[in-house]
Amino acid sequence: MTMRQPSSQEVQPVIDALNSGQVAVAEAAAKKLTKNYPGAFVAHNLYGNALAAQNKFKDAVAAFRKALEIDPSIAEMHFNLGILLTNLNRTDEAIQAYKKTVTLKPGFTDAYYNLGFALQYQSKFAQAAEAYQKAIDQQPGFFEAIANLGVCLQEQGKSIEAEAAYKKALQLNQDAKMYFNLGTVLKNQGRLADAIEAYNQALALNPDYAEVHSNIGEVLRDQGRYDESVAAYKEALRLDPTLPLANYSLAVYLYDSGDLEQALAYFEKSQYADWQERMLYCLYKTSKFDEFKAGLDKLKKTKHTSPFLATLTGHYAENFGTDNDYNFCPNPLDFVCHLDIPELKGDSELLKQLLADIEQADIEEKSQGRLHNGVQSAGNLFKRPEASFQKVGELVVDAINRYRVSFKGENCIFVKSFPKQTVIASAWYVKMKTGGHLTSHIHEEGWVSGSLYLSLPKNKTHEHEGSIELSTHGDDYPKQHDNFTTKTIAPEVGDVVMFPSSVFHRTIPFSSNEERICIAFDLKPSV
């Protein structure tokens, strides 16, 4: 049965009202059409467009859905519906609308782009990258799709592919944001000088780009150019006094320099990352125990999964003989795990290649105040293009999964909230020569931390030279006694030692004329 349809004379005034911007008039006329002709696609379509033009998105969605009930074969209608649903943050529904669009019309480039954008919003980076790539295949000069593809590749740890995407985007359009993204991916690769060059290109296009100045400060800090890094942070804050990362980074510089009073103010201003734990650290290290305890008790009520808070809580409890009521990991040394990686044992070709790549790869070194008679690589080693680093990254992920399984029955937050996805937040090599050592510290931003040993001193004057020492005390925390728990492990080449990131650890100095090489890494906490 054919449904009654409005005549062109009835439809045209609605179209004219829409085209002339008289959207309220168009809405009233189109609404009347839907009542007179409830089975007419054109009536519901016009009504939806009039509502959408007035930002009445929810009602417009209902109108478009009614039109699609009448004729579901119009790709453009599904696309328009997807846009409205995106505006309403109904992203799952928007994704389905865009997928229906490209099913009906595979050549609809903008629908692939919008699909990629919606998937990226949900952090489904691999799927988003596929959608963006389809848009680019159809329109090779689609700048926005190429730029967003780079972001999705970078989020997946595909550093080299992300770099190529950003450079392709920059061939199309000299854009400050693209240079910023390129600088970030180069920084993660440990190419610090190249990163600064990219950031400077961004500033040439936009001198007032506060985030770029802040990131330059990060790179300069890694290069050990501390005065210049502080100047960069201060320039970022001149441009944007509220910029969280710049406030936080300047606070960390002051924190590492021992100026804990000033660091406190900048951490509070930053409201960034673990700023509350860092403030507590400043109070504790300056022996302001009453303020520390008040802040600690307040924070423990709301932050249940913080390794840094576990460090502070555990030290305070052991230091002052009180109960540790923070159930993150009350007995952290019980969760130290010593495993081996068979692929690195004996006459291992992978081990030989790793050592060769560490010597030969174009990786800049990072300044590290706690490291003596040694060097540390910049960037994330597992995001490097060398096959040896990528392979050892896979082996580390496997070791972490074994670690996860070995403690799965334990009843503490550290185990019960163990990150479901094994994502390495950072990885770097540490090379030490005679007398080399790292002073006691924790990895504030990790969940599980570890060291994989590639070369160790053999000529020892005592058994623990070059060993790793783990403890519930360290970093010159104020202490009331010397009865803190300690565990020492003497690893062999091909071994990996893992532990909660809340655990203090240090390297015991060695005296022989040999080299100690390890790869350190952190498992990223769940977001």
Side-chain angles (χ1 to χ4, degrees):
M1 175 176 153
T2 304
M3 302 295 292
R4 290 177 60 244
Q5 300 294 317
S7 68
S8 59
Q9 289 85 355
E10 291 173 292
V11 169
Q12 193 60 47
V14 184
I15 296 173
D16 291 341
L18 277 172
N19 289 337
S20 63
Q22 297 175 288
V23 289
V25 172
E27 177 191 348
K31 186 175 183 180
K32 185 176 180 181
L33 282 181
T34 63
K35 290 181 178 177
N36 293 335
Y37 303 97
F41 174 90
V42 66
H44 295 284
N45 183 22
L46 289 171
Y47 184 42
N49 278 294
L51 291 165
Q54 299 172 82
N55 296 332
K56 297 179 180 179
F57 299 135
K58 189 175 179 181
D59 292 337
V61 165
F64 283 151
R65 287 204 189 281
K66 183 63 179 176
L68 286 168
E69 287 175 14
I70 297 166
D71 186 353
S73 68
I74 310 297
E76 288 76 9
M77 180 63 72
H78 290 282
F79 179 73
N80 291 340
L81 177 62
I83 292 172
L84 292 174
L85 291 165
T86 300
N87 288 335
L88 289 167
N89 289 321
R90 290 160 60 178
T91 313
D92 284 333
E93 294 172 79
I95 288 169
Q96 294 309 311
Y98 294 134
K99 285 182 176 179
K100 184 67 175 176
T101 304
V102 296
T103 299
L104 290 167
K105 194 172 182 179
F108 203 143
T109 306
D110 286 346
Y112 279 117
Y113 176 80
N114 284 16
L115 174 59
F117 194 86
L119 290 163
Q120 183 180 346
Y121 179 80
Q122 292 191 336
S123 299
K124 295 176 180 174
F125 298 113
Q127 294 177 50
E130 288 180 15
Y132 287 135
Q133 189 59 61
K134 286 179 179 175
I136 296 162
D137 290 343
Q138 293 179 5
Q139 188 178 320
F142 198 156
F143 171 80
E144 292 82 0
I146 297 167
N148 284 359
L149 174 62
V151 173
C152 292
L153 291 167
Q154 188 173 351
E155 289 287 350
Q156 293 176 80
K158 296 180 177 180
S159 174
I160 302 303
E161 295 93 329
E163 178 188 350
Y166 294 142
K167 287 180 175 178
K168 184 178 178 182
L170 285 164
Q171 288 173 355
L172 296 167
N173 184 14
Q174 290 288 291
D175 179 81
K177 176 68 173 175
M178 281 307 93
Y179 277 115
F180 174 80
N181 288 353
L182 177 60
T184 303
V185 83
L186 292 169
K187 176 179 180 288
N188 287 339
Q189 290 176 21
R191 294 161 58 187
L192 302 184
D194 291 342
I196 286 181
E197 184 179 341
Y199 289 141
N200 283 335
Q201 293 274 18
L203 291 180
L205 294 166
N206 181 5
D208 295 337
Y209 201 149
E211 289 88 346
V212 174
H213 288 284
S214 180
N215 276 31
I216 287 176
E218 298 281 299
V219 178
L220 292 168
R221 180 202 63 201
D222 287 351
Q223 291 180 324
R225 297 158 64 182
Y226 297 114
D227 290 345
E228 293 172 81
S229 75
V230 170
Y233 296 142
K234 288 184 175 178
E235 178 62 11
L237 292 173
R238 184 188 70 78
L239 294 165
D240 182 359
T242 66
L243 190 64
L245 182 57
N247 278 294
Y248 181 86
S249 296
L250 183 54
V252 169
Y253 166 78
L254 294 164
Y255 169 104
D256 289 340
S257 303
D259 190 348
L260 300 181
E261 293 288 348
Q262 270 207 79
L264 260 172
Y266 281 104
F267 280 130
E268 186 168 22
K269 198 172 176 184
S270 78
Q271 308 273 300
Y272 181 82
D274 58 355
W275 65 279
Q276 293 165 298
E277 290 94 322
R278 299 266 184 173
M279 288 184 68
L280 289 176
Y281 171 95
C282 293
L283 292 169
Y284 195 55
K285 286 289 292 277
T286 51
S287 299
K288 295 178 180 176
F289 298 125
D290 290 341
E291 288 180 68
F292 167 82
K293 185 64 166 60
L296 180 69
D297 288 344
K298 182 178 179 181
L299 190 56
K300 284 190 299 187
K301 294 176 182 176
T302 57
K303 293 195 84 168
H304 306 291
T305 59
S306 168
F308 196 177
L309 195 57
T311 304
L312 293 163
T313 306
H315 194 279
Y316 180 87
E318 197 167 350
N319 205 16
F320 290 93
T322 62
D323 290 335
N324 182 359
D325 59 354
Y326 191 62
N327 188 38
F328 177 80
C329 189
N331 300 299
L333 295 188
D334 292 346
F335 295 87
V336 174
C337 186
H338 182 189
L339 300 172
D340 68 5
I341 293 184
E343 292 86 348
L344 296 173
K345 291 291 186 177
D347 188 29
S348 165
E349 290 300 321
L350 176 58
L351 176 61
K352 292 175 187 175
Q353 190 60 54
L354 275 169
L355 292 171
D357 285 340
I358 285 172
E359 287 300 317
Q360 298 164 13
D362 179 24
I363 307 173
E364 292 189 48
E365 293 167 0
K366 176 180 177 179
S367 181
Q368 222 289 40
R370 298 183 185 277
L371 177 58
H372 301 270
N373 289 358
V375 295
Q376 174 175 322
S377 63
N380 188 334
L381 210 60
F382 298 159
K383 292 185 178 181
R384 296 278 309 174
E386 291 82 2
S388 66
F389 295 140
Q390 294 189 11
K391 177 61 179 175
V392 83
E394 294 170 6
L395 294 173
V396 164
V397 167
D398 176 69
I400 290 172
N401 289 336
R402 284 188 278 156
Y403 180 92
R404 181 203 314 265
V405 170
S406 68
F407 292 110
K408 65 180 181 180
E410 298 291 335
N411 184 29
C412 63
I413 298 297
F414 172 69
V415 173
K416 291 166 75 173
S417 295
F418 203 97
K420 292 180 173 60
Q421 290 188 314
T422 306
V423 177
I424 305 299
S426 52
W428 61 98
Y429 67 68
V430 179
K431 296 195 295 182
M432 299 178 187
K433 295 185 182 297
T434 307
H437 64 284
L438 265 166
T439 60
S440 179
H441 61 289
I442 65 168
H443 293 184
E444 295 93 341
E445 297 174 14
W447 189 270
V448 170
S449 298
S451 291
L452 170 62
Y453 297 91
L454 307 180
S455 179
L456 290 163
K458 299 186 180 76
N459 301 317
K460 302 181 182 182
T461 57
H462 63 82
E463 62 175 322
H464 290 313
E465 283 197 4
S467 295
I468 181 171
E469 182 187 272
L470 305 112
S471 180
T472 54
H473 169 74
D475 190 23
D476 294 324
Y477 274 38
K479 59 179 180 175
Q480 309 295 308
H481 59 77
D482 293 315
N483 301 320
F484 289 90
T485 312
T486 297
K487 178 180 286 191
T488 303
I489 295 174
E492 297 180 358
V493 170
D495 287 357
V496 59
V497 176
M498 290 178 287
F499 43 89
S501 296
S502 58
V503 171
F504 291 103
H505 53 286
R506 73 182 184 99
T507 309
I508 298 174
F510 61 95
S511 56
S512 62
N513 187 22
E514 298 174 274
E515 200 165 39
R516 181 187 190 274
I517 303 174
C518 70
I519 293 176
F521 56 87
D522 290 325
L523 172 65
K524 183 178 181 179
S526 296
V527 179

